[in-house]
Amino acid sequence: QVQLQESGPGLVKPSQTLSLTCDVSGASITTLYYYWSWIRQPPGKGLEWMGHITYRGFTYYADSVKGRFTISRDNAKNTVYLQMNSLKPEDTAVYYCAAASKYTNRKDDYNYWGQGTQVTVSS
């Protein structure tokens, strides 16, 4: 059974940097044809795909966060990371780690989800 567990600081100030961790168990993050995504849900809004890292280690980002957010991984730890720079209050959201067996940004295509972690950007 594949399980994903997000973790990270919950509160940061505007312009600061924050990193989230997604610990994966039950499958390797290098498993062929799996894509490991970060998705967020701002308060009162729908899910927003931010980007993913492929089984080969390639990364792709939504235009809204490109250049500001970075997804990386540590194969030895079986962990995926999300680094967010220059944070803004509108980045406040619940952040989810999710896995899909194909290239997608549609929530219905994801096979596995973490429970989510709250990030609040406020002075």
Side-chain angles (χ1 to χ4, degrees):
Q1 181 180 358
V2 180
Q3 293 184 318
L4 293 77
Q5 178 71 54
E6 306 93 339
S7 61
L11 177 64
V12 293
K13 295 181 179 180
S15 79
Q16 289 187 336
T17 294
L18 180 150
S19 291
L20 299 179
T21 297
C22 175
D23 291 310
V24 179
S25 61
S28 169
I29 59 175
T30 60
T31 298
L32 288 179
Y33 312 123
Y34 262 81
Y35 299 78
W36 306 88
S37 296
W38 285 97
I39 297 167
R40 69 184 179 186
Q41 185 167 28
K45 297 184 179 181
L47 294 169
E48 177 186 7
W49 178 83
M50 291 182 288
H52 65 220
I53 187 164
T54 75
Y55 55 98
R56 294 188 186 278
F58 297 118
T59 52
Y60 299 87
Y61 300 95
D63 289 342
S64 60
V65 301
K66 194 177 297 182
R68 202 162 58 92
F69 289 9
T70 302
I71 298 172
S72 61
R73 70 183 189 183
D74 185 324
N75 293 347
K77 294 182 178 180
N78 213 40
T79 298
V80 178
Y81 303 98
L82 174 66
Q83 179 173 312
M84 302 182 283
N85 299 329
S86 303
L87 283 163
K88 309 170 186 178
E90 49 265 43
D91 292 316
T92 294
V94 177
Y95 284 72
Y96 297 93
C97 179
S101 55
K102 62 180 181 180
Y103 190 116
T104 185
N105 60 4
R106 296 177 65 248
K107 63 180 179 68
D108 291 343
D109 290 335
Y110 287 91
N111 306 96
Y112 306 103
W113 291 80
Q115 85 290 346
T117 187
Q118 175 70 45
V119 172
T120 301
V121 183
S122 175
S123 56

